[in-house]
mmCIF file with all atom_site columns, all heavy atoms in Angstrom:
data_model
loop_
_atom_site.group_PDB
_atom_site.id
_atom_site.type_symbol
_atom_site.label_atom_id
_atom_site.label_alt_id
_atom_site.label_comp_id
_atom_site.label_asym_id
_atom_site.label_entity_id
_atom_site.label_seq_id
_atom_site.pdbx_PDB_ins_code
_atom_site.Cartn_x
_atom_site.Cartn_y
_atom_site.Cartn_z
_atom_site.occupancy
_atom_site.B_iso_or_equiv
_atom_site.pdbx_formal_charge
_atom_site.auth_seq_id
_atom_site.auth_comp_id
_atom_site.auth_asym_id
_atom_site.auth_atom_id
_atom_site.pdbx_PDB_model_num
ATOM 1   N N   . ALA A 1 564 ? 3.678  34.846 -15.529 1.00 0.00 ? 564 ALA A N   1
ATOM 2   C CA  . ALA A 1 564 ? 4.127  36.183 -15.100 1.00 0.00 ? 564 ALA A CA  1
ATOM 3   C C   . ALA A 1 564 ? 5.616  36.381 -15.340 1.00 0.00 ? 564 ALA A C   1
ATOM 4   O O   . ALA A 1 564 ? 6.093  37.483 -15.603 1.00 0.00 ? 564 ALA A O   1
ATOM 5   C CB  . ALA A 1 564 ? 3.809  36.400 -13.625 1.00 0.00 ? 564 ALA A CB  1
ATOM 6   N N   . ARG A 1 565 ? 6.413  35.313 -15.278 1.00 0.00 ? 565 ARG A N   1
ATOM 7   C CA  . ARG A 1 565 ? 7.853  35.426 -15.488 1.00 0.00 ? 565 ARG A CA  1
ATOM 8   C C   . ARG A 1 565 ? 8.187  35.717 -16.946 1.00 0.00 ? 565 ARG A C   1
ATOM 9   O O   . ARG A 1 565 ? 9.254  36.273 -17.233 1.00 0.00 ? 565 ARG A O   1
ATOM 10  C CB  . ARG A 1 565 ? 8.557  34.145 -15.055 1.00 0.00 ? 565 ARG A CB  1
ATOM 11  C CG  . ARG A 1 565 ? 8.427  33.850 -13.568 1.00 0.00 ? 565 ARG A CG  1
ATOM 12  C CD  . ARG A 1 565 ? 9.269  32.669 -13.139 1.00 0.00 ? 565 ARG A CD  1
ATOM 13  N NE  . ARG A 1 565 ? 10.695 32.990 -13.221 1.00 0.00 ? 565 ARG A NE  1
ATOM 14  C CZ  . ARG A 1 565 ? 11.638 32.154 -12.848 1.00 0.00 ? 565 ARG A CZ  1
ATOM 15  N NH1 . ARG A 1 565 ? 11.331 30.935 -12.387 1.00 0.00 ? 565 ARG A NH1 1
ATOM 16  N NH2 . ARG A 1 565 ? 12.890 32.486 -12.943 1.00 0.00 ? 565 ARG A NH2 1
ATOM 17  N N   . THR A 1 566 ? 7.293  35.391 -17.871 1.00 0.00 ? 566 THR A N   1
ATOM 18  C CA  . THR A 1 566 ? 7.554  35.646 -19.275 1.00 0.00 ? 566 THR A CA  1
ATOM 19  C C   . THR A 1 566 ? 6.867  36.942 -19.750 1.00 0.00 ? 566 THR A C   1
ATOM 20  O O   . THR A 1 566 ? 7.242  37.485 -20.785 1.00 0.00 ? 566 THR A O   1
ATOM 21  C CB  . THR A 1 566 ? 7.061  34.461 -20.139 1.00 0.00 ? 566 THR A CB  1
ATOM 22  O OG1 . THR A 1 566 ? 7.633  33.261 -19.644 1.00 0.00 ? 566 THR A OG1 1
ATOM 23  C CG2 . THR A 1 566 ? 7.426  34.621 -21.592 1.00 0.00 ? 566 THR A CG2 1
ATOM 24  N N   . LEU A 1 567 ? 5.897  37.431 -18.993 1.00 0.00 ? 567 LEU A N   1
ATOM 25  C CA  . LEU A 1 567 ? 5.152  38.637 -19.437 1.00 0.00 ? 567 LEU A CA  1
ATOM 26  C C   . LEU A 1 567 ? 6.037  39.839 -19.776 1.00 0.00 ? 567 LEU A C   1
ATOM 27  O O   . LEU A 1 567 ? 5.781  40.527 -20.786 1.00 0.00 ? 567 LEU A O   1
ATOM 28  C CB  . LEU A 1 567 ? 4.128  39.033 -18.344 1.00 0.00 ? 567 LEU A CB  1
ATOM 29  C CG  . LEU A 1 567 ? 2.850  38.209 -18.281 1.00 0.00 ? 567 LEU A CG  1
ATOM 30  C CD1 . LEU A 1 567 ? 1.941  38.725 -17.189 1.00 0.00 ? 567 LEU A CD1 1
ATOM 31  C CD2 . LEU A 1 567 ? 2.116  38.234 -19.624 1.00 0.00 ? 567 LEU A CD2 1
ATOM 32  N N   . PRO A 1 568 ? 7.094  40.143 -18.988 1.00 0.00 ? 568 PRO A N   1
ATOM 33  C CA  . PRO A 1 568 ? 7.942  41.319 -19.347 1.00 0.00 ? 568 PRO A CA  1
ATOM 34  C C   . PRO A 1 568 ? 8.593  41.198 -20.717 1.00 0.00 ? 568 PRO A C   1
ATOM 35  O O   . PRO A 1 568 ? 8.978  42.202 -21.295 1.00 0.00 ? 568 PRO A O   1
ATOM 36  C CB  . PRO A 1 568 ? 8.978  41.343 -18.230 1.00 0.00 ? 568 PRO A CB  1
ATOM 37  C CG  . PRO A 1 568 ? 8.340  40.627 -17.078 1.00 0.00 ? 568 PRO A CG  1
ATOM 38  C CD  . PRO A 1 568 ? 7.505  39.560 -17.711 1.00 0.00 ? 568 PRO A CD  1
ATOM 39  N N   . ARG A 1 569 ? 8.699  39.988 -21.259 1.00 0.00 ? 569 ARG A N   1
ATOM 40  C CA  . ARG A 1 569 ? 9.368  39.802 -22.553 1.00 0.00 ? 569 ARG A CA  1
ATOM 41  C C   . ARG A 1 569 ? 8.374  39.789 -23.707 1.00 0.00 ? 569 ARG A C   1
ATOM 42  O O   . ARG A 1 569 ? 8.773  39.634 -24.871 1.00 0.00 ? 569 ARG A O   1
ATOM 43  C CB  . ARG A 1 569 ? 10.160 38.500 -22.535 1.00 0.00 ? 569 ARG A CB  1
ATOM 44  C CG  . ARG A 1 569 ? 11.102 38.387 -21.350 1.00 0.00 ? 569 ARG A CG  1
ATOM 45  C CD  . ARG A 1 569 ? 11.975 37.170 -21.436 1.00 0.00 ? 569 ARG A CD  1
ATOM 46  N NE  . ARG A 1 569 ? 12.994 37.325 -22.482 1.00 0.00 ? 569 ARG A NE  1
ATOM 47  C CZ  . ARG A 1 569 ? 14.031 36.503 -22.597 1.00 0.00 ? 569 ARG A CZ  1
ATOM 48  N NH1 . ARG A 1 569 ? 14.202 35.518 -21.746 1.00 0.00 ? 569 ARG A NH1 1
ATOM 49  N NH2 . ARG A 1 569 ? 14.917 36.697 -23.567 1.00 0.00 ? 569 ARG A NH2 1
ATOM 50  N N   . LEU A 1 570 ? 7.099  39.951 -23.413 1.00 0.00 ? 570 LEU A N   1
ATOM 51  C CA  . LEU A 1 570 ? 6.085  39.971 -24.458 1.00 0.00 ? 570 LEU A CA  1
ATOM 52  C C   . LEU A 1 570 ? 5.710  41.396 -24.803 1.00 0.00 ? 570 LEU A C   1
ATOM 53  O O   . LEU A 1 570 ? 5.558  42.239 -23.918 1.00 0.00 ? 570 LEU A O   1
ATOM 54  C CB  . LEU A 1 570 ? 4.836  39.194 -24.008 1.00 0.00 ? 570 LEU A CB  1
ATOM 55  C CG  . LEU A 1 570 ? 5.039  37.715 -23.612 1.00 0.00 ? 570 LEU A CG  1
ATOM 56  C CD1 . LEU A 1 570 ? 3.716  37.091 -23.244 1.00 0.00 ? 570 LEU A CD1 1
ATOM 57  C CD2 . LEU A 1 570 ? 5.718  36.931 -24.728 1.00 0.00 ? 570 LEU A CD2 1
ATOM 58  N N   . SER A 1 571 ? 5.514  41.652 -26.074 1.00 0.00 ? 571 SER A N   1
ATOM 59  C CA  . SER A 1 571 ? 5.143  42.968 -26.542 1.00 0.00 ? 571 SER A CA  1
ATOM 60  C C   . SER A 1 571 ? 3.655  42.988 -26.889 1.00 0.00 ? 571 SER A C   1
ATOM 61  O O   . SER A 1 571 ? 3.191  42.164 -27.693 1.00 0.00 ? 571 SER A O   1
ATOM 62  C CB  . SER A 1 571 ? 5.961  43.356 -27.763 1.00 0.00 ? 571 SER A CB  1
ATOM 63  O OG  . SER A 1 571 ? 5.470  44.564 -28.339 1.00 0.00 ? 571 SER A OG  1
ATOM 64  N N   . PRO A 1 572 ? 2.863  43.929 -26.313 1.00 0.00 ? 572 PRO A N   1
ATOM 65  C CA  . PRO A 1 572 ? 1.439  43.971 -26.638 1.00 0.00 ? 572 PRO A CA  1
ATOM 66  C C   . PRO A 1 572 ? 1.166  44.242 -28.100 1.00 0.00 ? 572 PRO A C   1
ATOM 67  O O   . PRO A 1 572 ? 0.129  43.845 -28.642 1.00 0.00 ? 572 PRO A O   1
ATOM 68  C CB  . PRO A 1 572 ? 0.912  45.128 -25.753 1.00 0.00 ? 572 PRO A CB  1
ATOM 69  C CG  . PRO A 1 572 ? 1.962  45.319 -24.684 1.00 0.00 ? 572 PRO A CG  1
ATOM 70  C CD  . PRO A 1 572 ? 3.263  44.924 -25.330 1.00 0.00 ? 572 PRO A CD  1
ATOM 71  N N   . GLU A 1 573 ? 2.104  44.933 -28.785 1.00 0.00 ? 573 GLU A N   1
ATOM 72  C CA  . GLU A 1 573 ? 1.905  45.253 -30.186 1.00 0.00 ? 573 GLU A CA  1
ATOM 73  C C   . GLU A 1 573 ? 2.201  44.087 -31.126 1.00 0.00 ? 573 GLU A C   1
ATOM 74  O O   . GLU A 1 573 ? 1.817  44.081 -32.305 1.00 0.00 ? 573 GLU A O   1
ATOM 75  C CB  . GLU A 1 573 ? 2.786  46.447 -30.599 1.00 0.00 ? 573 GLU A CB  1
ATOM 76  C CG  . GLU A 1 573 ? 2.360  47.783 -29.972 1.00 0.00 ? 573 GLU A CG  1
ATOM 77  C CD  . GLU A 1 573 ? 2.768  47.878 -28.505 1.00 0.00 ? 573 GLU A CD  1
ATOM 78  O OE1 . GLU A 1 573 ? 3.701  47.149 -28.117 1.00 0.00 ? 573 GLU A OE1 1
ATOM 79  O OE2 . GLU A 1 573 ? 2.155  48.685 -27.786 1.00 0.00 ? 573 GLU A OE2 1
ATOM 80  N N   . ASN A 1 574 ? 2.921  43.065 -30.617 1.00 0.00 ? 574 ASN A N   1
ATOM 81  C CA  . ASN A 1 574 ? 3.287  41.919 -31.439 1.00 0.00 ? 574 ASN A CA  1
ATOM 82  C C   . ASN A 1 574 ? 2.131  40.932 -31.498 1.00 0.00 ? 574 ASN A C   1
ATOM 83  O O   . ASN A 1 574 ? 1.660  40.440 -30.468 1.00 0.00 ? 574 ASN A O   1
ATOM 84  C CB  . ASN A 1 574 ? 4.533  41.260 -30.858 1.00 0.00 ? 574 ASN A CB  1
ATOM 85  C CG  . ASN A 1 574 ? 5.099  40.179 -31.772 1.00 0.00 ? 574 ASN A CG  1
ATOM 86  O OD1 . ASN A 1 574 ? 4.381  39.361 -32.299 1.00 0.00 ? 574 ASN A OD1 1
ATOM 87  N ND2 . ASN A 1 574 ? 6.417  40.203 -31.929 1.00 0.00 ? 574 ASN A ND2 1
ATOM 88  N N   . GLU A 1 575 ? 1.667  40.647 -32.715 1.00 0.00 ? 575 GLU A N   1
ATOM 89  C CA  . GLU A 1 575 ? 0.517  39.767 -32.864 1.00 0.00 ? 575 GLU A CA  1
ATOM 90  C C   . GLU A 1 575 ? 0.794  38.385 -32.324 1.00 0.00 ? 575 GLU A C   1
ATOM 91  O O   . GLU A 1 575 ? -0.068 37.745 -31.673 1.00 0.00 ? 575 GLU A O   1
ATOM 92  C CB  . GLU A 1 575 ? 0.100  39.707 -34.348 1.00 0.00 ? 575 GLU A CB  1
ATOM 93  C CG  . GLU A 1 575 ? -1.151 38.860 -34.589 1.00 0.00 ? 575 GLU A CG  1
ATOM 94  C CD  . GLU A 1 575 ? -1.530 38.803 -36.051 1.00 0.00 ? 575 GLU A CD  1
ATOM 95  O OE1 . GLU A 1 575 ? -0.868 39.526 -36.842 1.00 0.00 ? 575 GLU A OE1 1
ATOM 96  O OE2 . GLU A 1 575 ? -2.457 38.064 -36.403 1.00 0.00 ? 575 GLU A OE2 1
ATOM 97  N N   . LYS A 1 576 ? 1.993  37.841 -32.602 1.00 0.00 ? 576 LYS A N   1
ATOM 98  C CA  . LYS A 1 576 ? 2.328  36.500 -32.147 1.00 0.00 ? 576 LYS A CA  1
ATOM 99  C C   . LYS A 1 576 ? 2.408  36.449 -30.605 1.00 0.00 ? 576 LYS A C   1
ATOM 100 O O   . LYS A 1 576 ? 2.058  35.422 -30.006 1.00 0.00 ? 576 LYS A O   1
ATOM 101 C CB  . LYS A 1 576 ? 3.685  36.075 -32.739 1.00 0.00 ? 576 LYS A CB  1
ATOM 102 C CG  . LYS A 1 576 ? 3.667  35.914 -34.245 1.00 0.00 ? 576 LYS A CG  1
ATOM 103 C CD  . LYS A 1 576 ? 2.663  34.846 -34.684 1.00 0.00 ? 576 LYS A CD  1
ATOM 104 C CE  . LYS A 1 576 ? 2.696  34.652 -36.193 1.00 0.00 ? 576 LYS A CE  1
ATOM 105 N NZ  . LYS A 1 576 ? 1.684  33.688 -36.660 1.00 0.00 ? 576 LYS A NZ  1
ATOM 106 N N   . ASP A 1 577 ? 2.857  37.527 -29.984 1.00 0.00 ? 577 ASP A N   1
ATOM 107 C CA  . ASP A 1 577 ? 2.886  37.544 -28.507 1.00 0.00 ? 577 ASP A CA  1
ATOM 108 C C   . ASP A 1 577 ? 1.477  37.548 -27.947 1.00 0.00 ? 577 ASP A C   1
ATOM 109 O O   . ASP A 1 577 ? 1.204  36.929 -26.919 1.00 0.00 ? 577 ASP A O   1
ATOM 110 C CB  . ASP A 1 577 ? 3.636  38.782 -28.007 1.00 0.00 ? 577 ASP A CB  1
ATOM 111 C CG  . ASP A 1 577 ? 5.147  38.625 -28.188 1.00 0.00 ? 577 ASP A CG  1
ATOM 112 O OD1 . ASP A 1 577 ? 5.579  37.516 -28.541 1.00 0.00 ? 577 ASP A OD1 1
ATOM 113 O OD2 . ASP A 1 577 ? 5.886  39.593 -27.950 1.00 0.00 ? 577 ASP A OD2 1
ATOM 114 N N   . GLY A 1 578 ? 0.567  38.268 -28.636 1.00 0.00 ? 578 GLY A N   1
ATOM 115 C CA  . GLY A 1 578 ? -0.827 38.212 -28.198 1.00 0.00 ? 578 GLY A CA  1
ATOM 116 C C   . GLY A 1 578 ? -1.408 36.821 -28.299 1.00 0.00 ? 578 GLY A C   1
ATOM 117 O O   . GLY A 1 578 ? -2.130 36.348 -27.412 1.00 0.00 ? 578 GLY A O   1
ATOM 118 N N   . GLU A 1 579 ? -1.066 36.115 -29.385 1.00 0.00 ? 579 GLU A N   1
ATOM 119 C CA  . GLU A 1 579 ? -1.521 34.745 -29.545 1.00 0.00 ? 579 GLU A CA  1
ATOM 120 C C   . GLU A 1 579 ? -0.917 33.834 -28.477 1.00 0.00 ? 579 GLU A C   1
ATOM 121 O O   . GLU A 1 579 ? -1.575 32.906 -28.007 1.00 0.00 ? 579 GLU A O   1
ATOM 122 C CB  . GLU A 1 579 ? -1.151 34.250 -30.934 1.00 0.00 ? 579 GLU A CB  1
ATOM 123 C CG  . GLU A 1 579 ? -1.924 34.933 -32.066 1.00 0.00 ? 579 GLU A CG  1
ATOM 124 C CD  . GLU A 1 579 ? -1.555 34.371 -33.430 1.00 0.00 ? 579 GLU A CD  1
ATOM 125 O OE1 . GLU A 1 579 ? -0.664 33.475 -33.502 1.00 0.00 ? 579 GLU A OE1 1
ATOM 126 O OE2 . GLU A 1 579 ? -2.158 34.799 -34.426 1.00 0.00 ? 579 GLU A OE2 1
ATOM 127 N N   . LEU A 1 580 ? 0.339  34.094 -28.133 1.00 0.00 ? 580 LEU A N   1
ATOM 128 C CA  . LEU A 1 580 ? 0.982  33.265 -27.092 1.00 0.00 ? 580 LEU A CA  1
ATOM 129 C C   . LEU A 1 580 ? 0.249  33.414 -25.763 1.00 0.00 ? 580 LEU A C   1
ATOM 130 O O   . LEU A 1 580 ? 0.017  32.429 -25.041 1.00 0.00 ? 580 LEU A O   1
ATOM 131 C CB  . LEU A 1 580 ? 2.451  33.688 -26.929 1.00 0.00 ? 580 LEU A CB  1
ATOM 132 C CG  . LEU A 1 580 ? 3.256  32.898 -25.915 1.00 0.00 ? 580 LEU A CG  1
ATOM 133 C CD1 . LEU A 1 580 ? 3.452  31.456 -26.374 1.00 0.00 ? 580 LEU A CD1 1
ATOM 134 C CD2 . LEU A 1 580 ? 4.610  33.553 -25.651 1.00 0.00 ? 580 LEU A CD2 1
ATOM 135 N N   . LEU A 1 581 ? -0.133 34.633 -25.415 1.00 0.00 ? 581 LEU A N   1
ATOM 136 C CA  . LEU A 1 581 ? -0.881 34.859 -24.179 1.00 0.00 ? 581 LEU A CA  1
ATOM 137 C C   . LEU A 1 581 ? -2.255 34.200 -24.260 1.00 0.00 ? 581 LEU A C   1
ATOM 138 O O   . LEU A 1 581 ? -2.732 33.595 -23.266 1.00 0.00 ? 581 LEU A O   1
ATOM 139 C CB  . LEU A 1 581 ? -1.023 36.346 -23.899 1.00 0.00 ? 581 LEU A CB  1
ATOM 140 C CG  . LEU A 1 581 ? -1.695 36.717 -22.564 1.00 0.00 ? 581 LEU A CG  1
ATOM 141 C CD1 . LEU A 1 581 ? -0.912 36.130 -21.389 1.00 0.00 ? 581 LEU A CD1 1
ATOM 142 C CD2 . LEU A 1 581 ? -1.826 38.208 -22.416 1.00 0.00 ? 581 LEU A CD2 1
ATOM 143 N N   . HIS A 1 582 ? -2.892 34.245 -25.415 1.00 0.00 ? 582 HIS A N   1
ATOM 144 C CA  . HIS A 1 582 ? -4.158 33.519 -25.606 1.00 0.00 ? 582 HIS A CA  1
ATOM 145 C C   . HIS A 1 582 ? -3.979 32.045 -25.332 1.00 0.00 ? 582 HIS A C   1
ATOM 146 O O   . HIS A 1 582 ? -4.762 31.383 -24.640 1.00 0.00 ? 582 HIS A O   1
ATOM 147 C CB  . HIS A 1 582 ? -4.674 33.708 -27.042 1.00 0.00 ? 582 HIS A CB  1
ATOM 148 C CG  . HIS A 1 582 ? -5.418 34.979 -27.272 1.00 0.00 ? 582 HIS A CG  1
ATOM 149 N ND1 . HIS A 1 582 ? -6.797 35.027 -27.303 1.00 0.00 ? 582 HIS A ND1 1
ATOM 150 C CD2 . HIS A 1 582 ? -4.986 36.256 -27.465 1.00 0.00 ? 582 HIS A CD2 1
ATOM 151 C CE1 . HIS A 1 582 ? -7.186 36.279 -27.519 1.00 0.00 ? 582 HIS A CE1 1
ATOM 152 N NE2 . HIS A 1 582 ? -6.104 37.051 -27.603 1.00 0.00 ? 582 HIS A NE2 1
ATOM 153 N N   . GLY A 1 583 ? -2.898 31.468 -25.907 1.00 0.00 ? 583 GLY A N   1
ATOM 154 C CA  . GLY A 1 583 ? -2.629 30.063 -25.694 1.00 0.00 ? 583 GLY A CA  1
ATOM 155 C C   . GLY A 1 583 ? -2.338 29.728 -24.252 1.00 0.00 ? 583 GLY A C   1
ATOM 156 O O   . GLY A 1 583 ? -2.754 28.673 -23.736 1.00 0.00 ? 583 GLY A O   1
ATOM 157 N N   . ALA A 1 584 ? -1.579 30.599 -23.581 1.00 0.00 ? 584 ALA A N   1
ATOM 158 C CA  . ALA A 1 584 ? -1.266 30.354 -22.181 1.00 0.00 ? 584 ALA A CA  1
ATOM 159 C C   . ALA A 1 584 ? -2.543 30.362 -21.320 1.00 0.00 ? 584 ALA A C   1
ATOM 160 O O   . ALA A 1 584 ? -2.702 29.516 -20.420 1.00 0.00 ? 584 ALA A O   1
ATOM 161 C CB  . ALA A 1 584 ? -0.296 31.438 -21.673 1.00 0.00 ? 584 ALA A CB  1
ATOM 162 N N   . MET A 1 585 ? -3.438 31.290 -21.590 1.00 0.00 ? 585 MET A N   1
ATOM 163 C CA  . MET A 1 585 ? -4.691 31.313 -20.819 1.00 0.00 ? 585 MET A CA  1
ATOM 164 C C   . MET A 1 585 ? -5.545 30.111 -21.159 1.00 0.00 ? 585 MET A C   1
ATOM 165 O O   . MET A 1 585 ? -6.260 29.564 -20.308 1.00 0.00 ? 585 MET A O   1
ATOM 166 C CB  . MET A 1 585 ? -5.456 32.603 -21.137 1.00 0.00 ? 585 MET A CB  1
ATOM 167 C CG  . MET A 1 585 ? -4.730 33.877 -20.734 1.00 0.00 ? 585 MET A CG  1
ATOM 168 S SD  . MET A 1 585 ? -4.202 33.886 -19.016 1.00 0.00 ? 585 MET A SD  1
ATOM 169 C CE  . MET A 1 585 ? -5.782 33.781 -18.180 1.00 0.00 ? 585 MET A CE  1
ATOM 170 N N   . ALA A 1 586 ? -5.479 29.629 -22.405 1.00 0.00 ? 586 ALA A N   1
ATOM 171 C CA  . ALA A 1 586 ? -6.196 28.412 -22.776 1.00 0.00 ? 586 ALA A CA  1
ATOM 172 C C   . ALA A 1 586 ? -5.645 27.208 -22.024 1.00 0.00 ? 586 ALA A C   1
ATOM 173 O O   . ALA A 1 586 ? -6.399 26.298 -21.611 1.00 0.00 ? 586 ALA A O   1
ATOM 174 C CB  . ALA A 1 586 ? -6.101 28.156 -24.299 1.00 0.00 ? 586 ALA A CB  1
ATOM 175 N N   . ALA A 1 587 ? -4.307 27.183 -21.818 1.00 0.00 ? 587 ALA A N   1
ATOM 176 C CA  . ALA A 1 587 ? -3.707 26.102 -21.027 1.00 0.00 ? 587 ALA A CA  1
ATOM 177 C C   . ALA A 1 587 ? -4.222 26.105 -19.603 1.00 0.00 ? 587 ALA A C   1
ATOM 178 O O   . ALA A 1 587 ? -4.472 25.049 -19.017 1.00 0.00 ? 587 ALA A O   1
ATOM 179 C CB  . ALA A 1 587 ? -2.199 26.211 -21.086 1.00 0.00 ? 587 ALA A CB  1
#
Side-chain angles (χ1 to χ4, degrees):
R565 296 187 68 177
T566 307
L567 282 180
R569 307 186 71 167
L570 302 182
S571 172
E573 290 77 21
N574 189 314
E575 183 180 354
K576 295 299 183 184
D577 285 353
E579 291 182 357
L580 182 68
L581 184 59
H582 277 260
M585 298 305 299

